[in-house]
Amino acid sequence: MKRPKTTNRYCPSCKKKTPQKVKEPSKGRPSSMKRGSKVRMKLRGLWRGIGNKGKYSRMKNQAKNKRKTTKKTNLMYTCTVCGKSKYQKKGKRTSKMVIE
Ligand SMILES: [Zn+2]
């Protein structure tokens, strides 16, 4: 999906429609020490030994992770008049977003 670099949008601080720059914020990498992550479970000594280990007992299904091909895009709009920026969360579902 192609998007223009600037759009006219409502700015809540200017209280009118202003030209705003569109930017896709960079996706940060998720922390490996997240609650319930495999790295954390290994460090704590879980996920080892005998018996039922809950969700780590199951075989890893790799096809399950690649089921969805599109994602909702996060876009950031920056007002050119006042300089304030705002997120538009949960945009349209696309496989690829190109800002030109
Ligand atoms: Zn503004």
Side-chain angles (χ1 to χ4, degrees):
M1 189 186 173
K2 284 179 182 175
R3 270 198 141 272
K5 263 185 185 174
T6 52
T7 46
N8 269 321
R9 256 180 139 243
Y10 179 77
C11 176
S13 54
C14 299
K15 291 182 181 177
K16 62 181 178 183
K17 272 192 171 180
T18 52
Q20 295 187 19
K21 277 184 195 169
V22 186
K23 194 185 150 197
E24 196 180 3
S26 59
K27 289 160 196 165
R29 292 183 70 199
S31 170
S32 62
M33 286 299 282
K34 240 179 175 178
R35 189 99 195 271
S37 73
K38 281 171 185 173
V39 176
R40 189 181 143 118
M41 296 300 265
K42 266 186 180 176
L43 283 172
R44 293 189 74 197
L46 306 171
W47 201 17
R48 220 185 293 165
I50 54 163
N52 185 13
K53 282 152 223 89
K55 69 175 183 180
Y56 301 105
S57 281
R58 271 179 265 140
M59 287 290 282
K60 198 179 164 190
N61 188 2
Q62 288 186 329
K64 201 177 173 184
N65 301 330
K66 288 172 185 173
R67 215 169 261 171
K68 286 178 183 174
T69 54
T70 58
K71 275 184 175 182
K72 283 183 181 177
T73 48
N74 264 359
L75 290 176
M76 205 156 115
Y77 292 93
T78 310
C79 179
T80 50
V81 179
C82 64
K84 287 196 175 179
S85 48
K86 206 170 190 281
Y87 272 111
Q88 182 221 28
K89 281 185 179 172
K90 290 182 182 175
K92 283 193 171 179
R93 278 199 167 270
T94 51
S95 58
K96 202 176 184 183
M97 179 70 86
V98 179
I99 297 165
E100 51 174 26

